[in-house]
Amino acid sequence: MQIRYSACESDRGWRENVNIETKTINKLFEILSNERRRRLCVYMVESDDEIFSFEELVGQFVSGTPNVDVTVDETAATRHDRIAIALHHTHLPKLADFGIIEYDMESKTTRYGEFPVDNLADWMMENRRISG
């Protein structure tokens, strides 16, 4: 089953129709079901930057609002390392595999991709009656 998605960018005044397979939508929701991946996307969408260093992204979790998975005895260095490992081996590759971001593991830089995650809420409202 395919679902029509209309991407609209009001600043530029363009509208594009895209057909998305239901299995693709399910995979997108699976990927975005993780809070860290959602926070990464929101950070990149709201930023004026185009390229993000790995350390900058790790810093969003180390210095940001404490997560429930932080133990009392955890040192700042241990927390940094744990978050860096999770981002490098799990979260950034999952976002990159789906095309939401481009992640260069060698240079440890990330670029927000062309996938319209910032328009996801509009898309959900437009297609809320469709099930597959």
Side-chain angles (χ1 to χ4, degrees):
M1 172 180 193
Q2 287 194 345
I3 298 175
R4 188 182 119 282
Y5 166 67
S6 296
C8 180
E9 178 98 13
S10 59
D11 299 12
R12 298 180 188 157
W14 56 265
R15 192 164 187 89
E16 176 183 350
N17 289 324
V18 179
N19 288 323
I20 301 177
E21 293 285 339
T22 302
K23 65 182 179 179
T24 303
I25 294 164
N26 292 341
K27 183 68 176 172
L28 173 63
F29 281 114
E30 177 187 323
I31 290 168
L32 295 179
S33 68
N34 181 277
E35 180 185 358
R36 282 200 176 144
R37 290 191 287 270
R38 288 192 310 270
R39 284 180 58 190
L40 285 167
C41 290
V42 167
Y43 176 73
M44 288 186 270
V45 166
E46 291 180 348
S47 175
D48 291 332
D49 297 335
E50 292 183 19
I51 297 176
F52 305 89
S53 72
F54 181 74
E55 284 302 317
E56 176 184 0
L57 298 178
V58 171
Q60 292 303 304
F61 297 99
V62 172
S63 63
T65 306
N67 294 330
V68 283
D69 64 342
V70 174
T71 63
V72 176
D73 298 332
E74 187 174 45
T75 66
T78 303
R79 182 173 185 209
H80 177 278
D81 291 347
R82 181 176 53 80
I83 290 169
I85 289 168
L87 291 183
H88 181 70
H89 291 289
T90 304
H91 302 301
L92 294 174
K94 281 189 180 212
L95 292 169
D97 287 346
F98 197 76
I100 296 172
I101 66 167
E102 296 171 16
Y103 178 50
D104 184 340
M105 289 184 158
E106 288 185 28
S107 68
K108 290 193 174 184
T109 57
T110 302
R111 178 188 305 266
Y112 181 70
E114 295 296 320
F115 198 87
V117 174
D118 47 332
N119 297 322
L120 186 59
D122 294 336
W123 176 87
M124 287 172 54
M125 291 305 294
E126 191 173 308
N127 294 284
R128 66 185 173 273
R129 293 191 184 108
I130 297 175
S131 63

